[in-house]
Amino acid sequence: MTSSNARILKPGDTIGILGGGQLGRMLALAAAPLGLKTHVLCPDPESPAFEVASTHTIAGYDDTSALDIFASAVDVVTYEFENVPGPTAAHLAARVPVRPGADALAVSQDRLSEKTFLREAGIPVAGFAAIDTDAEVAPALERLGGKGILKTRRLGYDGKGQALLRSVTDARDAHSRLGRVPAILEAFVPFEREVSVIAARGVDGTVRAYDVAENVHRDHILKTSTVPAGIDAELAAEARAMAETICEKLGYVGVIGVEIFVLPEGAPQRILVNEVAPRVHNSGHWTEAACQVSQFEQHIRAVAGWPLGSAERHSDVTMENLIGAEADDWAGILAEPGASLHLYGKAESRPGRKMGHVNRLRLLRP
Ligand code: AMP
């Protein structure tokens, strides 16, 4: 470990955050009670994180002079999105510790590297094949059982850049339809439910995993996360152990989100990891209300080099994303007993835009 990797912040120091969306906003909010300042850098002048951060910079991620000034003003850099351009991360890492580190970004930015890393780490994943031409799709689809999902290797999210392939006909020009970009074909997973694990690893190597959340999507966007998930204790322990292994194998520092498919009873392998996000995760917003230390505080502690907090849960909970006009009912939600409302302060509501979330607690000890 180099001395820069081991840097420990003290109260009053500043955490630089790349990205000014709601995740950056919630990180900045979590840093404040720990006496840490935040400096958010984002190209969007309307960034929701700006109004709660100590300082902000409006600049492109490729603006090296802005990055130099940012790096000299902060004690560590973290980020709220995994698509931080490689050169940006490298430029900053030469000047200030970047946590999570370059390995985590490289693995999560490219689905092929991600699946390859997971498989080599002994983590079960769906069968997959690299695809660079139309001609490769049909034979790979056959090898993977005749049904698969073709995904762009980079920059896909919320189901964008994906095509479901069910037949040789579907396969014919599938790669061209995706824009002929480097792609991966994954075997279709007949999952029973989708779950996720939020885990954290500190600079000292301590790893803490939160309870497993069960996630329901609507129109490819996360709608609810419910904890506990409807899976048995053994599977839940297996899922958490996988997240811990991933943190350890990456030498990770910070919070990570691990998305997992659960297959029906009788399947030879009941859980498969779908993807990892090297950041706080939407399916971990429930920790804000149901745990003593939220994923946001945990991430701040980790990147500051501070001891991790407890990941224990004191309540059962369902987190619901408020998408588009759903947030207009803020007054009704405020009136609900047991509901905690969190709005992101976005100026404009648009269909499909995450405007806030609500945590509904079911206290274990009322
Ligand atoms: P992703 O962008 O990889 O998170 O995929 C978005 C959604 O597509 C997931 O949450 C799943 O519901 C579905 N999906 C992704 N990959 C697969 C797969 N290999 N088999 C079945 N469903 C999938």
Side-chain angles (χ1 to χ4, degrees):
M1 190 186 277
T2 66
S3 57
S4 93
N5 281 340
R7 186 181 296 178
I8 309 291
L9 274 59
K10 50 190 188 325
D13 284 349
T14 301
I15 297 180
I17 301 172
L18 297 173
Q22 63 267 17
L23 299 179
R25 178 179 169 108
M26 290 186 268
L27 286 171
L29 287 170
L34 299 175
L36 290 161
K37 297 189 172 67
T38 46
H39 183 156
V40 173
L41 184 143
C42 187
D44 179 0
E46 302 284 314
S47 293
F50 286 173
E51 56 191 38
V52 303
S54 321
T55 315
H56 70 261
T57 299
I58 303 169
Y61 300 116
D62 58 353
D63 180 342
T64 48
S65 48
L67 292 178
D68 286 343
I69 297 168
F70 176 69
S72 63
V74 303
D75 298 285
V76 67
V77 168
T78 189
Y79 40 88
E80 61 140 29
F81 67 114
E82 58 272 42
N83 289 316
V84 173
T88 306
H91 191 87
L92 291 169
R95 290 157 179 80
V96 65
V98 175
R99 297 173 178 157
D103 280 3
L105 274 178
V107 157
S108 61
Q109 285 181 355
D110 180 334
R111 291 182 192 275
L112 184 63
S113 315
E114 180 175 54
K115 289 277 181 328
T116 306
F117 157 77
L118 290 168
R119 192 156 70 183
E120 284 170 2
I123 304 289
V125 292
F128 63 91
I131 299 292
D132 292 308
T133 63
D134 277 324
E136 289 168 332
V137 183
L141 189 64
E142 198 186 323
R143 270 199 315 279
L144 294 172
K147 189 170 174 188
I149 301 192
L150 186 65
K151 303 180 179 180
T152 58
R153 280 173 57 175
R154 304 178 77 88
L155 297 175
Y157 66 97
D158 287 347
K160 294 185 178 67
Q162 302 195 2
L164 175 63
L165 308 182
R166 274 179 274 228
S167 64
V168 178
T169 320
D170 286 351
R172 196 165 299 136
D173 56 353
H175 186 245
S176 297
R177 277 184 274 125
L178 216 61
R180 293 202 178 88
V181 290
I184 178 174
L185 181 64
E186 292 177 15
F188 183 83
V189 179
F191 59 81
E192 171 191 88
R193 58 188 96 218
E194 292 185 270
V195 301
S196 59
V197 176
I198 307 300
R201 184 171 176 277
V203 164
D204 64 0
T206 308
V207 179
R208 299 262 159 84
Y210 289 90
D211 277 346
V212 181
E214 181 163 339
N215 303 318
V216 173
H217 297 85
R218 195 181 64 192
D219 301 330
H220 304 291
I221 300 172
L222 181 68
K223 185 55 188 156
T224 60
S225 294
T226 298
V227 191
I231 57 175
D232 62 44
E234 217 169 284
L235 274 189
E238 205 183 322
R240 292 172 60 178
M242 283 181 193
E244 291 171 4
T245 303
I246 293 168
C247 285
E248 273 152 13
K249 296 264 179 184
L250 284 172
Y252 195 80
V253 173
V255 161
I256 196 166
V258 180
E259 297 177 18
I260 295 169
F261 296 132
V262 180
L263 285 93
E265 232 178 303
Q269 174 60 44
R270 294 230 25 223
I271 54 183
L272 299 175
V273 169
N274 176 31
E275 60 182 12
V276 299
R279 53 171 170 78
V280 288
H281 197 260
N282 193 170
S283 71
H285 291 1
W286 63 270
T287 60
E288 192 181 40
C291 298
Q292 188 187 341
V293 175
S294 73
Q295 64 163 346
F296 304 105
E297 177 175 340
Q298 199 74 294
H299 187 76
I300 294 294
R301 286 178 181 234
V303 302
W306 292 5
L308 296 186
S310 163
E312 295 273 307
R313 177 171 62 84
H314 54 67
S315 303
D316 290 351
V317 58
T318 295
M319 187 282 312
E320 180 186 357
N321 270 337
L322 300 174
I323 296 164
E326 288 168 353
D328 296 348
D329 186 30
W330 53 269
I333 296 166
L334 285 174
E336 268 181 55
S340 312
L341 176 68
H342 195 141
L343 296 176
Y344 306 147
K346 294 184 182 176
E348 197 194 336
S349 166
R350 290 194 292 269
R353 193 173 199 206
K354 292 173 184 169
M355 302 301 291
H357 65 264
V358 54
N359 278 309
R360 296 188 171 91
L361 289 185
R362 296 178 297 281
L363 295 180
L364 297 178
R365 282 190 302 271

